[in-house]
């Protein structure tokens, strides 16, 4: 399924019946199915083939889960090997050769200062459960209950993870400013904006009248994904590490989406050189199958047996697929490849922005890229930059789909088009992605009526 292969003619639309039944049967909470009305039946690498015979370039990658793309041979072989061996597929948290191999490979990739004295907790299969475990861990270890989190954060959909996320309505954590260049909360951006954000955090923690008791931990994303693909400045991350370390506050790095080479380093914290006390890992570590863990300093390991458990924390197939993925990324230097190719793609997108006023900002790190679309003709003079244009972003997403490109939206107002291609992306595929995106943007901008074409809602 090469990029340049033409898609076959549309087949009889049996897929429409599947989409209709999904709409009738599934929860109103379904998400991706609404903006991506396709029925995948085959997939390999970057490419998905739908039941209607159309082919798509997948720059969603399971929300960043598919580091090697769909059905990579090393992943399939690892799964087949476990199936053929007769090994048990469900073992709770018992030790197995498959788990041992996964843990060994994972520890080989971690920042050495953490790996040399670390413990690992296997959690329920979703990243949000690992976030819950991390919060529970630091609260148990410190005897405190408060939490420091950041504006724009996304840590999952369970209650505790939602409390720490930017969309929380029943706030139980102290919310701190996350530095941004384009929409800086202090109106200055750059190093000065990051410095002000750090000073705000430090002053708030040290102010006896600040209303913030000593917290159990601080949780942050090295690159905010759902928040709009906003990389944390390296200097600011180092300040957060200094601030937390000097106050005995455990630092939790949520690497659920940024890990396994996505940002151009194996783990995104490596860009800044910091070593967190806890790392939350999921998505790509399971090689496309459900798996989530936390890795943390041994001295935090004070909870009692069963303090955090889950029936499906022993997913043998995911551990095998994950070990194969971690090894392949490490041995083939795919993190370095992501850094090089991502920088090239960012450069081309910035060139596109120079020709389109509706592109407010292009940002990201490695193959975690965001393009913020704005309304440059808005008469709102209250902000330093134009407001986000979620209607245009949705139109661009629909035009991308019509051209066989799957992208996702994010950001505060869903005005950021997000690109999360697999790390195995070739130069030819990268160019095809950019060409289709540019064509889609042009179509959405030049035909305003397309902005009101909501398309099928499934």
């Amino acid at each position: 399924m090469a990029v340049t292969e033409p898609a076959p003619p549309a087949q009889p639309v049996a897929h429409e019946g599947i989409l209709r039944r999904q709409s009738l049967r599934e929860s109103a909470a379904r998400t991706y199915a609404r903006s991506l009305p396709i029925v995948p039946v085959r997939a390999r690498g970057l490419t998905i083939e739908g039941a209607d015979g159309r082919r798509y370039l997948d720059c969603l990658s399971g929300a960043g889960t598919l580091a090697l793309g769909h059905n990579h041979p090393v992943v399939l072989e690892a799964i087949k090997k476990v199936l053929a061996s007769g090994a048990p597929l469900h073992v709770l948290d018992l030790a197995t050769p498959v788990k041992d191999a996964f843990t060994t490979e994972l520890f080989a990739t971690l920042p050495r200062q953490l790996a040399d004295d670390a413990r690992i907790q296997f959690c329920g299969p979703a990243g949000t459960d690992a976030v819950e475990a991390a919060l529970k861990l630091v609260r148990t270890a410190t005897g405190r209950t408060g939490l420091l989190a950041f504006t724009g954060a996304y840590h999952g959909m369970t209650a505790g993870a939602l409390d720490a996320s930017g969309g929380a309505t029943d706030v139980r954590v102290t919310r701190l400013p996350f530095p941004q260049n384009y929409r800086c909360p202090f109106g200055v951006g750059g190093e000065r904006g990051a410095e002000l954000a750090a000073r705000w955090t430090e002053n708030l923690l040290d102010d006896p009248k600040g209303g913030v008791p000593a917290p159990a931990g601080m949780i942050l994303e090295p690159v905010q994904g759902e928040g709009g693909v906003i990389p944390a400045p390296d200097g600011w991350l180092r300040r957060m590490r200094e601030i937390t370390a000097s106050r005995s506050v455990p630092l939790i790095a949520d690497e659920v989406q940024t890990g396994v080479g996505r940002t151009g380093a194996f783990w995104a914290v490596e860009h800044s050189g910091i070593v967190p006390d806890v790392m939350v890992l999921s998505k790509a570590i399971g090689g496309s199958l459900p798996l989530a863990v936390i890795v943390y300093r041994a001295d935090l390991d004070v909870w009692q047996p069963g303090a955090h458990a889950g029936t499906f924390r022993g997913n043998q197939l995911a551990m095998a697929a994950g070990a194969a993925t971690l090894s392949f990324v490490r041995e083939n230097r795919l993190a370095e490849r992501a850094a090089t190719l991502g920088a090239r793609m960012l450069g081309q997108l910035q060139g596109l922005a120079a020709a389109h006023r509706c592109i407010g900002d292009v940002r990201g790190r490695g193959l975690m890229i965001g393009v913020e679309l704005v309304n440059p003709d808005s008469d709102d003079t209250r902000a330093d930059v134009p407001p986000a244009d979620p209607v245009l972003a949705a139109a661009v997403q629909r035009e991308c789909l019509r051209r066989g490109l799957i992208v996702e939206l994010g950001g505060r107002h869903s005005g950021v088009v997000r690109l999360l291609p697999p790390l195995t992306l070739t130069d030819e595929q990268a160019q095809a992605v950019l060409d289709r995106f540019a064509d889609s943007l042009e179509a959405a901008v030049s035909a305003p009526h397309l902005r009101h074409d909501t398309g099928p809602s499934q």
Side-chain angles (χ1 to χ4, degrees), residues 222-249:
V223 180
Q224 288 193 343
E226 296 295 327
V229 192
I230 303 173
D234 291 339
W236 177 83
L237 276 175
R238 288 189 283 270
R239 283 289 302 280
M240 292 304 101
R241 176 66 287 190
E242 293 167 2
I243 288 170
T244 53
S246 64
R247 293 160 179 79
S248 299
V249 176

Side-chain angles (χ1 to χ4, degrees), residues 147-166:
L147 185 68
L148 303 175
F150 291 88
T151 55
Y154 176 77
H155 298 293
M157 295 299 292
T158 51
L162 280 173
D163 280 348
S165 299

Side-chain angles (χ1 to χ4, degrees), residues 390-406:
V391 176
L392 175 59
V396 170
Q397 183 185 42
R398 289 192 298 272
E399 288 301 304
C400 283
L401 194 64
R402 289 187 176 116
R403 288 162 177 76
L405 176 63
I406 296 173

Side-chain angles (χ1 to χ4, degrees), residues 120 221 230 315 372:
I120 184 170
E221 301 158 274
I230 303 173
N315 190 334
E372 182 163 349

Side-chain angles (χ1 to χ4, degrees), residues 427-444:
D427 291 350
E428 179 191 21
Q429 290 172 335
Q431 192 58 55
V433 167
L434 295 176
D435 288 346
R436 294 186 193 190
F437 174 77
D439 290 346
S440 301
L441 178 68
E442 188 65 39

